[in-house]
Amino acid sequence: MNSSILLSLTTFIYGFAAFFYIVSVVFKKPFFGKTGTWTCLAGIAGNTGGIIMRWIESYRFGIGHAPLSNLYESLVFFSLVIVAIYLVVEKTYANRSLGAFTTPLAFLAMAYASLSPNISDRIQPLMPALKSNWLIAHVITCFIGYAAFAIAFGLGIMFLLKQKDSQGKVPFIKLFPDLHIMDELSHQMIMFGFLFLSAGIITGAVWANSAWGRYWGWDPKETWSLITWFIYATLLHARFMRGWHGKRLAYLSIIGFIAVLFTYFGVNLLSGLHSYGR
Amino acid sequence: MKKNKNSDSPSNRLWKFFASVKLTVTLLIIIALTCIIGTVIPQNESPSADSLRYGEFLYRIFRVLSIFDMYHSWWFQFLIFFLAANIIVCSIDRLSSTWKVIFKKTPSFDIAKLKNSCKEEFTASCTPHELKTLFLPLLSKLFKYTNMQDRDNGFIIYAEKGRWTKLGVYAVHFSVILLLIGGLIGSYFGFDGSVIIPEGKSVKNVILRNTGAGQPLDFEIRCDDFNVAFYESGMPKEYRSALTILENGKPVLTKNVIVNDPLRYRGINIFQSSYGAMQPENITLSFTDRNTGTALRKKISLGEQIDLPGTFGKFTLNKYLHSYNFRGHNLGEAFAGTLTPPNGEPEEVILPINFSGFDKMRMGSIVISPEDTEQLYYTGLQVTKDPGVPVVYSGFIMMIIGCFITFFISHIRFCVEVVKKKGKSIVIVAGISNKSITGMEARTKKLNKLLSDTIRG
Ligand code: HEM
């Protein structure tokens, strides 16, 4: 058993979890929801185990470093955080319908990491600029933030679906939490994500300052993370304005997550320092 | 808040305009959108490349709008300035009233509003009077402020904490201002330059990144040694420059600088940023007499002329060629020299470093072959000064703390009402917070349980 096998296995486990949650919502079978929860827990165990094994393996190759240094490793960590946050929410709010919208994201992230030909899952040595504890702090904080935004994104979609179907014609939508609960939960997620995104941008700036003597350089990746930050700041402020509740905030949360995805994947199409992500 | 008699006066209207959250939202959206431009259109490239890429017409429009350096353009800075004005005016506008609310000695509370919120209740088999002696000390221990009022058939205790968290938002907004101030300090009093130092040499000036002008330093930087280490895969593992700082020619500080571990001296930061091979200055050549086979080895520097033994005359090393092309083949680095026999025409000799037998083809009576060159490296350093960094970093810390307080520490208020009913007491616990409703429901349940447990315990 090595970390690659364990993480591939985790991908499948997340796939099953997503499947169970979706079946549970669509066919209104609570049993499948519970199975989903247990499957998620198994996934978290595999995911965490995989990350730890990868860490140990990197030391065995003589190039030891925390497994947070390239796109593959960050996606694996991202999936772990999404599922972990989701499970906390599931427990707090005692509602499993959100699982049908978030576990697929964790599954897709893992599947993309394992299957995409552009992403190497080899354990690679670190180039000199990446040898910094600030980088580890940067990756961890950013991806916790992104994961919270991913969940807010799922909630945003659920919110719009439920609002559109206000008469409760579609049976599975009836299982969604009430609109005001989803609104509040999504706000919680966005505040949580915003705090971590801010911390992520800050640790990135401190890292850049220790590596290049400039805490901010307007490179595309930096700028896109700032754009994302502005979008969520807009959202937080928009709550104070009249007429900006529910639907518009749900749209903003969806747009915000698209900006996250672009910061993460799209920027590699542009040029810049951060293109190590490839 | 400016108190004008005429609330519609222009200055008042301007104040209100800058104090509105609507302006905040509008500005944040505009700034987010305009930031995208700079990530799509490459910044600070050469004008000729830009005009080729976009055509003359678009190029001129972009040029006028400073699109090629948009984050420093007048209009982008204008937007940032508006945002700053917005934050400052907004904060001043609200701070005085927030301040009063926070530091009021006896906060007022709205029982009707509290009763409209999360609510729990239980029945206790003792009198309100007994309960009062139990609840009041407990609640004043748990909450920063408590207030008890007697009623006809019972009492009400009002308890609250966390009112100060309303200041969190001001910390966040002030942190944004700190970041901007720090950035301004950096751009006025700092610089960002780079310098190349060959091993063994020292410099007193750096080249500024933006203007290309020279920036003198108060001290000298000497590169004693440069090393690059590789992984087995051939990927670079570490770049290391051994640097010495010289003041008035005397060494005062020596440090190995690697990427992510700069040297800081008198407010100036020196970072490892690049390296390269110096073009060789000298080479050891061997001169072989084709007839006798006797060879002479000699080190020669560029521009130097040496006398050869016997009748071979003189040899001059003229120049270094980065790459030498021979009949369509690139033979790489080479030196060029001139061989001048005592009584003959000077003859050009090419000495490709990697092809030591090359000169045999000349069919001369002496064969010159390059043996080895001394490879020196230069280190590329980034040299910056940014006195704004401490301000920016304080902004960072303040932003994180401020966001945490604003988002996750709430102002919670409880109202515990005790009403006598048929020899027993009904206890109603109602709570409200300015944050999460769900969290408050849990808190109310917890307080309810705590109170009922104290009675039994
Ligand atoms: C640019 C000008 C800005 C203005 C005029 C402004 C204004 C405001 C106002 C009026 C509030 C409501 C405060 C209250 O009534 O409790 C607020 C809240 C807030 N602002 Fe700003 N703001 C600005 C920029 C920012 C920025 C750049 C951030 C980025 C972090 C930010 C973060 C926050 C946060 C976190 C809150 C609290 C939100 C909440 O309680 O959910 N603000 N802002």
Side-chain angles (χ1 to χ4, degrees):
Chain A
M1 179 66 101
N2 64 23
S3 66
S4 294
I5 298 177
L6 188 53
L7 289 171
S8 311
L9 203 66
T10 306
T11 311
F12 284 103
I13 299 178
Y14 284 154
F16 282 120
F19 173 75
F20 291 140
Y21 279 120
I22 293 171
V23 168
S24 146
V25 164
V26 174
F27 299 103
K28 296 206 271 179
K29 294 271 192 290
F31 166 76
F32 280 98
K34 271 188 202 130
T35 319
T37 305
W38 286 107
T39 319
C40 269
L41 284 170
I44 285 199
N47 204 335
T48 315
I51 291 177
I52 293 172
M53 277 172 77
R54 203 176 155 89
W55 202 337
I56 295 171
E57 282 162 20
S58 79
Y59 275 92
R60 212 175 290 147
F61 292 157
I63 46 174
H65 57 80
L68 294 164
S69 70
N70 59 21
L71 190 54
Y72 175 81
E73 292 171 339
S74 56
L75 281 169
V76 168
F77 179 69
F78 179 56
S79 306
L80 176 65
V81 183
I82 292 186
V83 177
I85 296 181
Y86 164 69
L87 283 180
V88 172
V89 171
E90 179 188 296
K91 184 139 175 50
T92 317
Y93 287 79
N95 188 309
R96 291 196 164 88
S97 51
L98 177 59
F101 290 83
T102 49
T103 47
L105 293 174
F107 167 67
L108 285 177
M110 286 293 275
Y112 180 66
S114 319
L115 301 178
S116 163
N118 302 327
I119 300 179
S120 160
D121 67 350
R122 286 230 325 273
I123 298 181
Q124 289 145 330
L126 284 185
M127 57 185 250
L130 301 187
K131 286 182 187 162
S132 164
N133 288 333
W134 287 109
L135 172 68
I136 299 175
H138 174 58
V139 175
I140 291 179
T141 45
C142 279
F143 283 96
I144 291 178
Y146 292 168
F149 291 145
I151 292 177
F153 165 78
L155 282 162
I157 291 180
M158 288 168 72
F159 186 96
L160 293 176
L161 285 176
K162 180 137 183 163
Q163 202 180 44
K164 210 161 183 199
D165 181 56
S166 51
Q167 281 100 45
K169 284 201 199 100
V170 187
F172 74 83
I173 292 180
K174 258 202 295 210
L175 290 179
F176 291 1
D178 285 347
L179 283 178
H180 77 270
I181 291 184
M182 287 198 279
D183 189 50
E184 186 201 315
L185 180 54
S186 144
H187 185 54
Q188 294 277 327
M189 283 298 137
I190 286 167
M191 291 192 297
F192 185 76
F194 190 79
L195 177 68
F196 277 91
L197 178 64
S198 309
I201 295 176
I202 287 171
T203 47
V206 174
W207 170 42
N209 193 36
S210 75
W212 298 285
R214 242 180 318 143
Y215 52 83
W216 194 261
W218 293 110
D219 99 57
K221 192 130 188 158
E222 279 171 357
T223 309
W224 268 97
S225 67
L226 188 67
I227 293 169
T228 309
W229 190 77
F230 277 135
I231 293 175
Y232 285 105
T234 308
L235 198 161
L236 290 173
H237 287 91
R239 290 180 78 90
F240 293 112
M241 298 206 326
R242 249 176 296 144
W244 275 77
H245 277 280
K247 197 160 138 189
R248 287 190 188 181
L249 295 186
Y251 277 122
L252 265 180
S253 153
I254 291 170
I255 294 172
F257 190 63
I258 293 172
V260 167
L261 290 180
F262 195 81
T263 310
Y264 198 16
F265 301 110
V267 173
N268 290 340
L269 308 175
L270 311 166
S271 57
L273 265 178
H274 274 83
S275 31
Y276 76 83
R278 257 173 281 183
Chain B
M1 178 83 162
K2 281 186 186 162
K3 288 272 188 297
N4 279 23
K5 288 216 177 77
N6 177 3
S7 70
D8 247 5
S9 76
S11 70
N12 209 331
R13 285 228 302 268
L14 194 67
W15 183 266
K16 274 196 181 142
F17 170 75
F18 273 108
S20 76
V21 188
K22 213 181 223 166
L23 178 66
T24 315
V25 169
T26 315
L27 281 173
L28 288 173
I29 292 177
I30 293 177
I31 294 176
L33 287 177
T34 49
C35 275
I36 298 177
I37 300 174
T39 66
V40 177
I41 294 176
Q43 300 287 297
N44 296 314
E45 297 213 329
S46 76
S48 54
D50 285 334
S51 70
L52 263 180
R53 188 176 326 186
Y54 300 104
E56 195 57 26
F57 180 67
L58 260 185
Y59 171 74
R60 289 214 176 156
I61 294 181
F62 285 0
R63 200 52 205 262
V64 169
L65 296 174
S66 307
I67 298 280
F68 297 119
D69 189 17
M70 66 150 277
Y71 302 112
H72 303 103
S73 67
W74 59 269
W75 56 268
F76 192 72
Q77 302 201 337
F78 186 72
L79 286 175
I80 302 286
F81 169 79
F82 253 60
L83 193 71
N86 188 194
I87 297 183
I88 292 171
V89 173
C90 199
S91 299
I92 297 174
D93 197 58
R94 283 156 214 249
L95 189 58
S96 65
S97 57
T98 312
W99 199 264
K100 271 184 216 138
V101 170
I102 293 178
F103 295 101
K104 215 182 321 179
K105 282 267 150 39
T106 51
S108 56
F109 51 93
D110 183 352
I111 293 187
K113 200 171 155 198
L114 271 165
K115 283 185 173 167
N116 242 329
S117 52
C118 311
K119 223 189 277 182
E120 297 286 325
E121 64 172 76
F122 64 93
T123 311
S125 53
C126 33
T127 64
H129 185 74
E130 288 167 314
L131 288 182
K132 200 193 285 181
T133 55
L134 277 175
F135 287 177
L136 200 52
L138 180 71
L139 289 171
S140 21
K141 207 171 77 193
L142 289 177
F143 292 87
K144 187 154 177 244
Y145 173 83
T146 46
N147 179 339
M148 202 270 302
Q149 285 176 9
D150 285 309
R151 291 288 160 96
D152 297 343
N153 53 352
F155 63 92
I156 287 182
I157 300 176
Y158 172 81
E160 69 154 16
K161 66 178 173 190
R163 201 155 4 120
W164 61 277
T165 60
K166 288 185 191 299
L167 285 176
V169 163
Y170 296 89
V172 176
H173 292 153
F174 184 60
S175 75
V176 176
I177 301 295
L178 278 181
L179 299 185
L180 296 177
I181 293 176
L184 275 182
I185 293 177
S187 64
Y188 279 105
F189 302 108
F191 63 79
D192 182 357
S194 61
V195 66
I196 280 175
I197 316 178
E199 284 176 299
K201 297 271 170 25
S202 62
V203 295
K204 272 198 87 135
N205 285 291
V206 300
I207 312 292
L208 294 185
R209 207 166 62 94
N210 293 337
T211 59
Q215 164 80 36
L217 301 175
D218 298 340
F219 50 83
E220 270 178 90
I221 311 170
R222 187 175 72 201
C223 172
D224 299 323
D225 188 26
F226 176 83
N227 267 303
V228 52
F230 295 93
Y231 291 107
E232 278 166 26
S233 64
M235 208 171 111
K237 182 177 183 179
E238 183 183 85
Y239 308 116
R240 175 190 296 267
S241 301
L243 300 182
T244 298
I245 301 290
L246 304 165
E247 294 247 29
N248 304 320
K250 286 195 201 68
V252 288
L253 179 67
T254 295
K255 183 180 156 88
N256 281 326
V257 171
I258 60 175
V259 180
N260 272 317
D261 186 14
L263 189 163
R264 301 186 196 277
Y265 185 70
R266 298 226 308 216
I268 307 242
N269 310 302
I270 302 168
F271 298 85
Q272 181 67 55
S273 76
S274 66
Y275 78 102
M278 295 292 295
Q279 80 174 49
E281 295 273 304
N282 51 49
I283 183 165
T284 305
L285 298 177
S286 84
F287 300 86
T288 313
D289 184 332
R290 211 187 260 275
N291 297 325
T292 64
T294 51
L296 166 75
R297 288 181 86 239
K298 207 158 168 79
K299 188 168 162 182
I300 175 169
S301 309
L302 272 177
E304 195 185 344
Q305 185 177 63
I306 54 171
D307 290 319
L308 300 176
T311 57
F312 293 116
K314 295 176 175 19
F315 178 78
T316 316
L317 193 64
N318 294 329
K319 59 184 179 201
Y320 165 81
L321 304 168
H322 194 68
S323 72
Y324 173 64
N325 228 335
F326 181 71
R327 295 189 185 152
H329 296 279
N330 183 0
L331 301 187
E333 294 174 282
F335 279 95
T338 317
L339 186 64
T340 317
N343 42 22
E345 286 294 302
E347 191 177 1
E348 171 152 73
V349 181
I350 302 288
L351 305 167
I353 292 173
N354 298 325
F355 297 88
S356 60
F358 184 79
D359 191 46
K360 284 187 191 140
M361 280 196 295
R362 191 169 47 87
M363 293 304 187
S365 51
I366 188 165
V367 178
I368 309 176
S369 52
E371 299 222 314
D372 66 309
T373 54
E374 194 179 338
Q375 183 62 69
L376 281 182
Y377 287 93
Y378 65 82
T379 181
L381 303 174
Q382 182 139 3
V383 181
T384 67
K385 176 178 163 184
D386 191 345
V389 164
V391 181
V392 171
Y393 280 19
S394 339
F396 285 166
I397 294 170
M398 185 171 257
M399 174 173 289
I400 295 299
I401 296 176
C403 273
F404 182 78
I405 293 171
T406 310
F407 293 154
F408 300 112
I409 307 185
S410 35
H411 175 204
I412 52 180
R413 286 171 284 178
F414 278 109
C415 161
V416 178
E417 185 174 11
V418 177
V419 188
K420 190 158 89 182
K421 199 172 182 189
K422 294 179 196 154
K424 291 185 175 179
S425 306
I426 297 177
V427 181
I428 303 162
V429 180
I432 189 170
S433 99
N434 59 344
K435 303 276 156 63
S436 144
I437 306 162
T438 322
M440 201 55 206
E441 277 164 4
R443 275 215 181 89
T444 312
K445 280 205 179 78
K446 211 169 131 193
L447 184 65
N448 190 58
K449 185 166 182 308
L450 185 74
L451 292 179
S452 61
D453 285 351
T454 38
I455 298 169
R456 281 189 221 112

